[in-house]
Amino acid sequence: MGVAQAMEALTERASLMKESLHKSQTITDNMVGILGSFDHRLSALETAMRPTQIRTHSIRRAHENIDKALKAAEVILDQFDISRKAEAKILRGPHEDLESYLEAIDQLRGTIKFFSNNKMFKSASGVISHAHGLLSKALSKLEDEFRQILQNYSKPMEPDRLFECLPSNLRPSSEGEGGGGKTHDPHHKSLENAIFTVPTVIPPRVLPLLHDLAQQMVQAGHQQQLFKSYRDTRAAVLEQSLRKLGVERLSKDDVQRMQWEVLEAKIGNWIHYMRISVKLLFAAEKKICDQILDGVESLRDQCFGEVTVNSVAVLLSFGEAIAKSKRSPEKLFVLLDMYEIMRELQPEIELLFGSKPCAEMKESALNLTKRLAQTAQETFADFEEAVEKDATKTAVMDGTVHPLTSYVINYVKFLFDYQTTLRLLFQEFDSKDPDSELGAVTTRIMHALQNNLDGKSKQYKDVALTQLFLMNNVHYIVRSVRRSEAKDLLGDDWVQIHRRIVQQHANQYKRVSWAKILQCLTVQSSGSGPIENSNISRASVKDRFKTFNSQFEELHQRQCQWTVPDSELRESLRLAVAEVLLPAFRSFLKRFGPMIESGKNPQKYIRFSPEDLERMLNEFFEGKTWSEPKR
């Protein structure tokens, strides 16, 4: 029962579902028919609308083309307007408003570029041609403006302005002649930290303007015109500044003809001029050249090189003339001064003239430094040889210090003022130990001097004077060495050896000068008994006294004219003689005086008392002349 009902219910539901599906199919078929009808109608409508769409699109494109044409025409008109305004500015020239003038040039370039890219316009070629002509005129005026401004603000530097830029210890004294003269000072502190103020040669406010003008000329391809204007103007001004300072062009022949005093002063001036030129004038030129031609490295370096080349040549040519001139001992110190300044300026020279266009100038400066070093070394060697071979006949009749001795010692003292420079000099020639080299050179000079003095001492006929002469000169050498820095290089052993040599000459003097007279006061007796028992006769005693008197008077008269210039050595020598002579005389006088005093005219034989001898000994070595009375 239950199953039959369930089956019946399912059958009814299946029948309903079948009926629903049939209706749904019918509706779907109807919808497909309707949609097919719509598609056909839409296709017909599209076909009908196509001509209208084509006309609308054409109208839209026409409008777009018209807009583009209007915009293009507007751009062209703007370019014409810009060109017209730029032309007006350019015709007025750059004097009134240079900034606006430069802007007009840029605008002209823009116009040329625009029409060059749009040559389809009918008037393009004409506009381009007109703009090019106008631009050429503008740039010509710009060149004139650059040259005029540069010339107006380029004035030669007065020496006083340059001196103000130096450190205070390098400024010329009020009584000096233009700040020249010898500049070497052994106590002068290093100039490494000295402040050199680079002078302002063109007002800073003008430099940006000149830079902009230069950039425009470079941009237009007018580098050569810019180079010529800059070089001619600044080179002339730099050369005028040096002439005002005192720099002059001198040839080797000019140098050779000069008196030494004049030449020495000019060398001192040259040293001063080199320092001012490199540290101030050339540095100032480099500074403004870098600023005006910033961004144009090749032209900038070339301009600086051409501006300075003549001035550098004038300065270096004088140095070359000195280095190549005939060598003489007095030139050594100025050569060292010149070498010293070139070494001092070497870092600045390498910095200023380090570019390729300036390479030749840098090389010339380096070659001069080497040439000065070589000439100084050769002069040094010449001096050593000249001391050894000095054959001057200058005789010092009083046995005092010979002029050669004082000259050589002063020379050596000056050398030690140049110790630092000499060490650099020795290093130029690969010396591994400059201090040792300096000591060896000093020793050789001293040895050469002593050899020469030995030769000169043989001019004296009096052997005693020979010994006095050598004693005086060697003592002067030793004393000078002990008081100078030469002592550190020569050493204590050298000093002690030569002090003994002085004493040896003093002893030799005493021996050869006083031995004979002391023999008069020496009597060989048979014993120590009374005088009357002596085997010496009264006549022999008288003869001894007479001989002593004549010999002492002769020694006094001659040796009062001799000189021992050092007071301590003079007193020491007198004392040494007195210590030998006076005791011997007192003993002789005490022993044999009574024998003479008891006879006739004792004063004829006993002419001096011990006090007289002591007083007269104090007159020895005073360099008296014959006409000068005894004291």
Side-chain angles (χ1 to χ4, degrees):
M1 184 69 179
V3 173
Q5 288 178 346
M7 290 295 293
E8 186 179 352
L10 286 171
T11 303
E12 286 178 4
R13 288 182 182 179
S15 178
L16 286 172
M17 287 180 66
K18 185 178 179 181
E19 185 179 350
S20 294
L21 287 171
H22 180 73
K23 286 180 181 180
S24 178
Q25 183 65 45
T26 302
I27 292 169
T28 300
D29 291 342
N30 290 337
M31 285 298 297
V32 169
I34 292 169
L35 288 172
S37 175
F38 277 155
D39 183 55
H40 177 73
R41 289 177 184 178
L42 285 172
S43 177
L45 181 62
E46 183 178 347
T47 301
M49 288 293 294
R50 187 171 290 118
T52 303
Q53 287 176 341
I54 291 170
R55 285 195 297 273
T56 303
H57 183 66
S58 297
I59 291 169
R60 189 182 300 113
R61 287 189 63 187
H63 275 295
E64 288 175 356
N65 289 335
I66 290 169
D67 287 342
K68 286 180 180 179
L70 288 173
K71 287 178 180 177
E74 187 178 348
V75 170
I76 293 168
L77 290 173
D78 285 344
Q79 287 296 328
F80 277 114
D81 188 51
I82 289 169
S83 179
R84 181 179 56 79
K85 290 178 180 178
E87 182 174 3
K89 291 177 184 178
I90 286 167
L91 291 175
R92 283 197 299 270
H95 302 292
E96 294 180 8
D97 186 353
L98 182 60
E99 186 177 350
S100 179
Y101 188 85
L102 295 175
E103 183 183 353
I105 289 176
D106 285 336
Q107 289 170 343
L108 268 183
R109 289 198 178 102
T111 297
I112 292 170
K113 184 178 180 180
F114 173 81
F115 284 103
S116 295
N117 294 332
N118 296 277
K119 289 186 177 179
M120 71 288 296
F121 298 129
K122 279 187 177 182
S123 57
S125 59
V127 171
I128 291 170
S129 177
H130 179 71
H132 271 302
L134 196 58
L135 185 60
S136 178
K137 290 178 183 179
L139 291 170
S140 178
K141 289 183 179 181
L142 207 60
E143 290 172 23
D144 294 338
E145 186 72 6
F146 177 84
R147 187 184 307 107
Q148 192 64 48
I149 292 174
L150 189 63
Q151 288 175 349
N152 287 345
Y153 288 100
S154 293
K155 304 296 178 187
M157 296 286 289
E158 295 297 329
D160 287 345
R161 277 193 63 200
L162 290 170
F163 297 154
E164 289 171 1
C165 299
L166 294 170
S168 57
N169 54 350
L170 288 180
R171 294 175 190 174
S173 58
S174 56
E175 62 272 9
E177 295 182 8
K182 188 172 176 61
T183 58
H184 183 84
D185 179 0
H187 307 295
H188 182 59
K189 289 185 178 178
S190 173
L191 290 172
E192 289 179 6
N193 298 320
I195 298 174
F196 292 81
T197 307
V198 177
T200 302
V201 294
I202 290 181
R205 61 184 174 80
V206 180
L207 293 173
L209 185 60
L210 289 169
H211 172 261
D212 290 343
L213 290 170
Q215 289 293 322
Q216 289 289 346
M217 292 172 70
V218 170
Q219 193 174 341
H222 291 205
Q223 289 96 331
Q224 285 306 309
Q225 294 90 325
L226 171 63
F227 167 73
K228 186 176 185 304
S229 294
Y230 189 92
R231 178 199 62 193
D232 293 349
T233 302
R234 289 308 309 168
V237 170
L238 178 59
E239 289 165 25
Q240 288 175 44
S241 296
L242 288 175
R243 282 196 294 272
K244 280 178 171 286
L245 188 62
V247 175
E248 54 186 331
R249 187 183 290 273
L250 294 171
S251 67
K252 182 181 176 182
D253 291 338
D254 295 330
V255 168
Q256 294 284 27
R257 286 192 292 267
M258 282 184 193
Q259 294 293 324
W260 169 243
E261 293 76 13
V262 176
L263 184 59
E264 187 178 26
K266 287 191 179 294
I267 291 171
N269 286 335
W270 179 84
I271 290 167
H272 200 55
Y273 300 155
M274 279 298 299
R275 186 179 279 119
I276 288 175
S277 297
V278 173
K279 289 183 177 286
L280 301 182
L281 285 172
F282 296 160
E285 286 299 330
K286 178 69 172 170
K287 184 177 179 180
I288 64 164
C289 192
D290 287 351
Q291 289 177 300
I292 293 173
L293 300 175
D294 181 36
V296 197
E297 280 70 17
S298 59
L299 189 63
R300 180 193 66 193
D301 295 336
Q302 187 183 6
C303 276
F304 175 70
E306 289 291 329
V307 164
T308 54
V309 64
N310 287 338
S311 297
V312 170
V314 169
L315 288 163
L316 296 185
S317 66
F318 179 80
E320 287 287 348
I322 298 297
K324 293 176 182 178
S325 63
K326 185 178 179 181
R327 298 194 300 269
S328 60
E330 66 271 12
K331 284 185 181 176
L332 176 61
F333 301 108
V334 295
L335 286 167
L336 291 174
D337 284 332
M338 294 171 74
Y339 172 73
E340 195 174 70
I341 190 64
M342 292 304 295
R343 284 295 300 248
E344 176 192 324
L345 297 176
Q346 191 169 325
E348 283 93 344
I349 289 172
E350 290 182 354
L351 188 64
L352 290 170
F353 302 102
S355 64
K356 188 175 180 181
C358 301
E360 192 171 334
M361 284 183 281
K362 185 179 79 172
E363 190 67 21
S364 295
L366 182 61
N367 288 338
L368 174 58
T369 306
K370 291 179 179 177
R371 184 60 185 263
L372 288 167
Q374 181 182 353
T375 306
Q377 190 192 46
E378 291 169 354
T379 304
F380 213 162
D382 289 348
F383 176 70
E384 184 182 330
E385 184 178 353
V387 171
E388 179 91 45
K389 297 181 178 179
D390 177 72
T392 54
K393 298 299 182 182
T394 304
V396 285
M397 303 308 297
D398 59 355
T400 190
V401 175
H402 196 279
L404 176 67
T405 303
S406 56
Y407 176 73
V408 172
I409 292 300
N410 286 333
Y411 201 90
V412 171
K413 284 181 180 177
F414 275 124
L415 284 178
F416 280 91
D417 288 345
Y418 289 84
Q419 284 188 69
T420 302
T421 307
L422 285 168
R423 289 186 180 98
L424 292 173
L425 186 71
F426 294 140
Q427 286 173 344
E428 287 274 358
F429 301 96
D430 300 323
S431 174
K432 295 179 181 178
D433 188 351
D435 286 333
S436 176
E437 181 77 12
L438 187 57
V441 168
T442 307
T443 302
R444 291 199 303 268
I445 290 174
M446 292 299 186
H447 184 68
L449 174 60
Q450 287 175 265
N451 286 344
N452 191 284
L453 291 172
D454 286 339
K456 283 181 167 46
S457 71
K458 293 178 173 58
Q459 297 175 1
Y460 298 107
K461 294 179 181 178
D462 191 323
V463 179
L465 186 55
T466 295
Q467 296 301 321
L468 193 79
F469 170 79
L470 290 172
M471 178 197 72
N472 279 330
N473 282 269
V474 177
H475 178 269
Y476 180 83
I477 294 169
V478 173
R479 186 190 63 178
S480 300
V481 167
R482 288 178 64 195
R483 295 178 178 178
S484 74
E485 294 175 85
K487 180 184 177 183
D488 296 331
L489 285 176
L490 295 174
D492 288 333
D493 288 346
W494 187 95
V495 172
Q496 293 305 321
I497 288 170
H498 285 78
R499 288 181 73 177
R500 287 196 292 272
I501 291 173
V502 173
Q503 190 59 50
Q504 288 168 8
H505 288 306
N507 293 337
Q508 285 289 86
Y509 157 78
K510 286 188 296 181
R511 184 182 64 79
V512 298
S513 190
W514 295 95
K516 189 176 180 182
I517 197 172
L518 287 170
Q519 285 179 357
C520 298
L521 304 176
T522 303
V523 178
Q524 297 295 333
S525 62
S526 57
S528 57
I531 294 174
E532 60 268 19
N533 293 332
S534 174
N535 58 4
I536 186 169
S537 65
R538 183 191 297 270
S540 180
V541 170
K542 286 181 178 181
D543 187 57
R544 293 291 182 93
F545 271 112
K546 284 175 67 176
T547 302
F548 175 84
N549 292 338
S550 65
Q551 287 186 359
F552 184 80
E553 285 177 344
E554 190 273 333
L555 282 175
H556 177 266
Q557 187 180 53
R558 187 168 72 252
Q559 295 196 20
C560 279
Q561 298 175 71
W562 296 358
T563 301
V564 178
D566 184 80
S567 59
E568 290 184 11
L569 183 61
R570 183 170 62 247
E571 290 306 315
S572 173
L573 194 60
R574 287 171 178 169
L575 182 60
V577 172
E579 286 176 345
V580 174
L581 179 66
L582 293 181
F585 181 77
R586 286 192 181 98
S587 176
F588 189 85
L589 183 63
K590 181 179 179 181
R591 188 173 183 184
F592 299 108
M595 186 184 298
I596 302 300
E597 289 168 353
S598 63
K600 294 180 180 180
N601 301 320
Q603 67 278 6
K604 180 180 177 180
Y605 304 101
I606 305 175
R607 296 181 57 183
F608 304 107
S609 67
E611 291 72 26
D612 290 332
L613 293 180
E614 187 173 10
R615 175 183 59 79
M616 293 174 75
L617 281 176
N618 286 331
E619 294 175 348
F620 276 53
F621 319 127
E622 291 287 351
K624 289 184 176 182
T625 61
W626 283 97
S627 59
E628 189 174 345
K630 295 179 182 179
R631 289 185 296 178

